[in-house]
Amino acid sequence: ILVLKAAHMNAFSNIRVGFIAGLNLRELQKKAEKFEKEMIEYNQIAVYRYMLPLKWAVLDLMFLTDDPLVMDKKCSEQNSFLQQMFDSHNLIVICDMYILGSIVAYIYSKYDLAAVLMQ
């Protein structure tokens, strides 16, 4: 089980480095979806939780929809997830949500939001 967890953490780290290095977002999305399925299949929930904020940042930057209903549902899911992470004191995921959210906000020229998220 430790080897499996380490393999999934390596996959997550590879996707994260790819994001930071500016690799193709569609390719990162495909990798994330592939490993996400494996993480769920092998019950690697902790690593799966680490992956979600990164996956959401990639999708936000790809801007796959401008449908207000879809965006509202996604926002609700992310807020619920963030609350779960606060409740479970998962500081790594909480920090990633704020850092990645600020990166996305900055890229979309939402500088005030990016500043608030970084505080």
Side-chain angles (χ1 to χ4, degrees), residues 49 77-90 94:
R49 286 184 182 135
E77 288 173 4
Q78 289 180 2
N79 286 337
S80 174
F81 180 75
L82 182 60
Q83 186 58 53
Q84 290 173 11
M85 296 302 100
F86 272 112
D87 293 346
S88 64
H89 306 289
N90 194 329
I94 293 167

Side-chain angles (χ1 to χ4, degrees), residues 25-56:
L25 293 173
R26 183 139 339 261
E27 294 302 316
L28 292 175
Q29 177 200 14
K30 288 177 185 176
K31 281 184 182 181
E33 287 177 355
K34 175 186 178 227
F35 289 115
E36 186 177 54
K37 288 176 187 173
E38 286 182 17
M39 289 173 199
I40 292 169
E41 180 182 338
Y42 292 105
N43 201 28
Q44 296 297 310
I45 302 305
V47 183
Y48 170 75
R49 286 184 182 135
Y50 294 152
M51 177 77 82
L52 283 178
L54 182 57
K55 176 187 162 191
W56 288 332

Side-chain angles (χ1 to χ4, degrees), residues 80-106:
S80 174
F81 180 75
L82 182 60
Q83 186 58 53
Q84 290 173 11
M85 296 302 100
F86 272 112
D87 293 346
S88 64
H89 306 289
N90 194 329
L91 298 179
I92 294 171
V93 175
I94 293 167
C95 287
D96 271 359
M97 288 189 75
Y98 282 102
I99 292 168
L100 292 167
S102 68
I103 290 170
V104 171
Y106 184 84

